[in-house]
Amino acid sequence: MKQMIGAIALVVPDYDEAIAYYTGKLGFDLIEDTHLGLNKRWVLVAPKGSSETRLLLAKADGDSQQAAIGNQTGGRVFLFLHTEDFDRDHQAMLTAGVSFLEAPRQEAYGKVAVFQDPFGNKWDLIQRV
């Protein structure tokens, strides 16, 4: 039996702002945007060519969720974006205005650089060896 993680919830302050960032700056596909009523939506985005795991953009509801925006992992890198061509994607992201927190570096597991989304979440852009 095959299992997989279908989606990871990412708490954001606003659906449309998050969609604009992930589709506009990172080039993700908008997979679904279904209105559920009471200001709730089911919003899924995914990197181009991805067929399994999606990000569920979940608008913060209440003070504790607002406080978690950008800090769902206590300040650690939260998400890992794998690529076949680090240099191409790094340059495209820089051109789009993505905020990298460091220069690219070579590690035992591949080429990597940490970037941060506008909500404070840290990501690794990685080309695995």
Side-chain angles (χ1 to χ4, degrees), residues 46-110:
K48 291 220 181 286
S50 175
S51 62
E52 292 186 346
T53 307
R54 276 61 170 113
L55 282 182
L56 173 67
L57 303 178
K59 184 178 176 184
D61 183 16
D63 292 340
S64 63
Q65 289 182 19
Q66 284 285 340
I69 294 172
N71 196 30
Q72 290 180 228
T73 59
R76 294 187 56 106
V77 169
F78 179 36
L79 298 160
F80 301 82
L81 181 59
H82 289 212
T83 178
E84 300 172 325
D85 188 336
F86 180 93
D87 294 328
R88 176 201 65 209
D89 291 346
H90 182 256
Q91 186 56 53
M93 291 166 73
L94 284 172
T95 299
V98 172
S99 176
F100 279 86
L101 303 179
E102 63 181 21
R105 66 184 192 282
Q106 192 65 47
E107 296 289 347
Y109 52 83

Side-chain angles (χ1 to χ4, degrees), residues 6-8 10 12 15-24 26-33 42-48 50 52-58 79 123:
I8 297 171
L10 181 65
V12 296
Y15 293 116
D16 294 323
E17 182 182 358
I19 291 168
Y21 177 79
Y22 287 105
T23 63
L26 297 188
F28 285 18
D29 290 326
L30 178 61
I31 305 300
E32 184 175 350
D33 185 357
W42 182 262
V43 179
L44 294 171
V45 297
K48 291 220 181 286
S50 175
E52 292 186 346
T53 307
R54 276 61 170 113
L55 282 182
L56 173 67
L57 303 178
L79 298 160
W123 290 67

